[in-house]
Amino acid sequence: MADYDEPIWLRPERAATGRPAVRSRPEITAAALAVADRGGLDAVSMRNVAEELGTGAASLYRYVSGRDDLLDLMVDATAAGVELPQPTGDLVGDLVAVGEGLHGVMARHEWLPELVLTRPSLGPNGVAVLDHVLGLLADRPGDGRAKLEVYALLNAVVATFAMNERAAGIRAQHAAVYLGHVAASGEHPRIAELLGDLAVPTGSAEERRTAALARLLSGLVG
C-alpha cells in the first residue's frame, strides 16, 4: 500500500498504471469546492465529489487517496485568491492588508475558517502567502520560528473573526439578553460597564476587525 504520509503535492498527480487519465487534481479540487460551498464541509466526500464530476468515486482514487487529500487541496486552492498588496513600508498596515485578504477568501468560502483552525494545510498557494508575510517581516528581529508564529496567529485570528461574524445575530442576541440580566443584578459591575461600552457605536465590522488586527500585530512585531 502506498505511503500517504507524504503531502499530496509531493506525490504524482495521477496513478502511473491503469487507464489513461481523464481527470486532473485542479478539476477534482474545483468540484470539491463547489460541493463545500453548497453544502458545507460535511457534504465533502469522495462520493459527492465524484457525483459533481459525473463519475464514480473509485475513479478519484487514481488522483487522491481520500477525503483528507480533498480537504488539503481545497484549503490550498482558496489561498490562490488571497490578495497580496504591494508593501508600503508600514509593517503593521501591510500585515493587516494580508489579514483582510485572508478574510475575503474566508467570507467567500464559509467552511474555510474551520479548516484553518483545525487542520491548517500548506501547499503551493499557501507557500506564496507565507513567503509574502516573511518578506514583510524580513527586516524585523526574531528567528524563523517567531515569524512563522506571526503568520499562524494572523491566520487563526482572522478565521476566528470570520466565524464570529457569521455567528452574529441570534446567538449574539441571546448573549446580550443574558448579560443584561447579569448586569441588572448589580453583582457584576464590570459586566455592566462592558455593556455600556458595547452600546456605543464603534464603526463597521470591517473597521473593528482591522483595528483589532492592528493592535494584535503591533504587539507581535513590536
Side-chain angles (χ1 to χ4, degrees):
M1 181 178 293
D3 180 3
Y4 292 124
D5 289 338
E6 198 173 45
I8 187 169
W9 298 282
L10 297 181
R11 289 183 249 139
E13 182 170 343
R14 59 182 65 89
T17 59
R19 292 179 296 176
V22 295
R23 304 291 178 190
S24 67
R25 280 184 185 160
E27 185 180 8
I28 292 168
T29 303
L33 290 171
V35 169
D37 287 343
R38 281 199 311 270
L41 283 180
D42 289 343
V44 178
S45 66
M46 296 291 278
R47 180 184 299 277
N48 288 344
V49 172
E51 288 181 358
E52 182 77 13
L53 290 166
T55 188
S59 67
L60 298 189
Y61 286 96
R62 297 192 62 214
Y63 309 89
V64 295
S65 65
R67 185 174 187 268
D68 284 348
D69 277 353
L70 290 177
L71 298 179
D72 285 345
L73 289 168
M74 290 161 58
V75 171
D76 190 65
T78 64
V82 177
E83 294 186 12
L84 300 173
Q86 287 296 315
T88 66
D90 173 6
L91 176 58
V92 170
D94 289 339
L95 289 171
V96 169
V98 175
E100 285 298 280
L102 294 168
H103 184 273
V105 170
M106 293 181 197
R108 293 192 293 274
H109 302 286
E110 293 188 352
W111 47 267
L112 181 57
E114 179 182 341
L115 285 184
V116 170
L117 290 171
T118 59
R119 51 167 299 138
S121 177
L122 197 60
N125 294 310
V127 164
V129 180
L130 171 60
D131 189 62
H132 180 83
V133 171
L134 292 177
L136 296 177
L137 296 170
D139 295 332
R140 304 301 296 179
D143 61 11
R145 181 176 287 104
K147 294 174 181 180
L148 183 60
E149 287 172 353
V150 172
Y151 172 77
L153 285 169
L154 179 59
N155 270 281
V157 170
V158 171
T160 301
F161 268 115
M163 293 180 75
N164 286 342
E165 287 166 3
R166 282 206 310 278
I170 188 64
R171 301 311 306 170
Q173 292 173 15
H174 284 178
V177 168
Y178 183 67
L179 285 177
H181 170 76
V182 170
S185 71
E187 297 177 3
H188 299 279
R190 286 186 291 271
I191 297 297
E193 182 180 0
L194 170 65
L195 287 180
D197 291 340
L198 293 178
V200 178
T202 56
S204 67
E206 178 182 353
E207 290 169 335
R208 293 193 298 273
R209 182 177 63 249
T210 55
L213 279 175
R215 290 193 299 271
L216 171 69
L217 290 165
S218 294
L220 286 175
V221 301

